[in-house]
Amino acid sequence: MCEIERRVHDAPYRIRWSPAQQQFVACTDHYPGLSYEADWPAAAVRGLQDKIRRRLVAQSN
């Protein structure tokens, strides 16, 4: 597993239901300010992981 993938998968994720957005919201303290909303909890985590991955790739370039 490459360093970026390790960092993406090592972050502890939290998921909460947002009544205002009527969606699940995933976030992590390792990457403050990033979150992702989706209809399903797993989709919210996958979306956030993709966001984190894109940020780490951009920072490494």
Side-chain angles (χ1 to χ4, degrees):
M1 181 181 294
C2 76
E3 177 65 17
I4 288 176
E5 287 303 313
R6 187 190 59 75
R7 290 175 66 187
V8 168
H9 291 284
D10 282 352
Y13 297 98
R14 289 189 320 273
I15 305 164
R16 66 175 174 83
W17 174 253
S18 172
Q21 285 108 354
Q22 294 290 298
Q23 290 192 312
F24 291 95
V25 180
C27 60
T28 179
D29 290 339
H30 282 152
Y31 301 95
L34 288 183
S35 64
Y36 194 87
E37 301 167 3
D39 292 334
W40 300 99
V45 171
R46 281 191 307 271
L48 180 56
Q49 287 174 329
D50 287 343
K51 260 185 159 176
I52 292 168
R53 191 176 289 109
R54 286 192 303 270
R55 175 182 273 191
L56 292 173
V57 167
Q59 289 174 348
S60 70
N61 291 332

